[in-house]
Amino acid sequence: GGGISTLRATATHAEMERGFECSGLRAREWVLVCALLVLLCGSWLRGIGRGEVHLMADEARHALNGVFVLDLVRDHPWSWPLQYSFQYYGKYPAISIGHWPPAFYFVEALFYWVLGVAPWVSRLAVPPFAILAAVFWYRIVRCYAPPELAWSSTIIYACLPSIFLYQQATMLEIPALALCLAAIYCWLRALHTERPAWIYGTAFLSAWALLTKQTALFLGPLFLLHLVVERKWWLLRSKHLYIALTAAGAAS
């Protein structure tokens, strides 16, 4: 009996330690993370203004979709939006918002509005999401591992050839990745703290990810499977879960 009690106490202490690590970062860690992000920005932004949009035919369409959203907001044809869209498509048949979700294009349109319409501006809308992805990757790993492992894994993530390729292209992969990682982090915090704010954060970011790229649908099965593995059945009795699911479904 004493051995079992000691084992339970040790497990509880380990869970408390893991929860503390997941709840926040020390000042020294934030300094190291910020220094890493500065280095990453320097490498990611290098050569971002070189050339036209050329990575597959999709990149040109993603770039033009942001221009369409900017023109739509500027012209505000709210009394005849469909006719405006048809006429716009007749002039620029590369727009394809109906093929991809529209969330990223509003961010892209904001960059166009501030800096002007140019290929490099469309690409500049992607690195903030790459930085966001690096931050949440670090936070997720930090929940389960010491700072050294989290820091080194973030460096490995940032140096992946696919990350270098897509963070300098007007594509949806990096924005979708960042939002999915943010939603996963909120989900982990929701299960650990049982606070409604993290449940709503998970739902909001999941809906935003789905409105960025359809592949974010994997989040639903992932969360369900993780719920079963962790046996956090209290979540199914929480009214906040169903409110969040309803709001996310309506937004999507």
Side-chain angles (χ1 to χ4, degrees):
I4 295 176
S5 300
T6 302
L7 182 61
R8 287 177 176 174
T10 304
T12 302
H13 179 71
E15 289 180 1
M16 290 176 63
E17 289 295 326
R18 186 180 68 177
F20 171 77
E21 296 294 350
C22 194
S23 62
L25 302 180
R26 300 181 180 90
R28 181 183 177 185
E29 285 187 69
W30 276 119
V31 171
L32 291 175
V33 171
C34 290
L36 174 61
L37 293 179
V38 170
L39 293 176
L40 293 180
C41 286
S43 61
W44 284 343
L45 293 177
R46 183 179 180 183
I48 198 171
R50 189 180 306 147
E52 300 292 331
V53 286
H54 60 276
L55 185 62
M56 301 185 293
D58 291 349
E59 187 178 10
R61 292 184 171 89
H62 293 314
L64 192 57
N65 285 344
V67 179
F68 168 73
V69 171
L70 177 64
D71 290 340
L72 183 67
V73 173
R74 282 176 171 175
D75 298 337
H76 49 81
W78 310 131
S79 58
W80 48 290
L82 288 179
Q83 184 179 355
Y84 177 87
S85 301
F86 291 149
Q87 292 179 354
Y88 200 98
Y89 180 82
K91 187 175 181 180
Y92 304 108
I95 61 171
S96 52
I97 288 185
H99 183 73
W100 286 288
F104 172 72
Y105 306 128
F106 286 92
V107 177
E108 189 181 22
L110 180 62
F111 275 78
Y112 283 147
W113 179 66
V114 174
L115 301 173
V117 177
W120 69 271
V121 177
S122 70
R123 289 193 287 264
L124 194 62
V126 176
F129 287 99
I131 295 172
L132 187 68
V135 170
F136 279 105
W137 173 261
Y138 182 91
R139 295 304 302 269
I140 291 171
V141 177
R142 189 65 182 86
C143 288
Y144 302 99
E148 296 79 12
L149 182 57
W151 204 71
S152 58
S153 67
T154 305
I155 294 177
I156 293 173
Y157 150 80
C159 294
L160 291 174
S162 57
I163 299 298
F164 265 99
L165 174 65
Y166 284 106
Q167 65 83 29
Q168 288 192 347
T170 311
M171 301 288 285
L172 302 178
E173 279 71 15
I174 297 297
L177 173 64
L179 295 170
C180 287
L181 288 176
I184 291 171
Y185 175 74
C186 288
W187 170 259
L188 295 176
R189 292 302 308 275
L191 291 187
H192 179 77
T193 65
E194 302 184 11
R195 293 179 180 175
W198 292 111
I199 298 176
Y200 291 115
T202 302
F204 171 76
L205 290 167
S206 299
W208 192 8
L210 187 58
L211 288 172
T212 300
K213 204 171 193 297
Q214 300 94 324
T215 50
L217 277 171
F218 83 93
L219 288 173
L222 174 67
F223 292 155
L224 181 60
L225 179 61
H226 189 245
L227 178 66
V228 173
V229 171
E230 294 290 330
R231 298 183 178 181
K232 300 289 187 177
W233 306 123
W234 66 265
L235 187 61
L236 298 179
R237 300 189 296 269
S238 173
K239 66 177 182 180
H240 300 288
L241 172 65
Y242 301 102
I243 296 174
L245 286 176
T246 302
S252 303

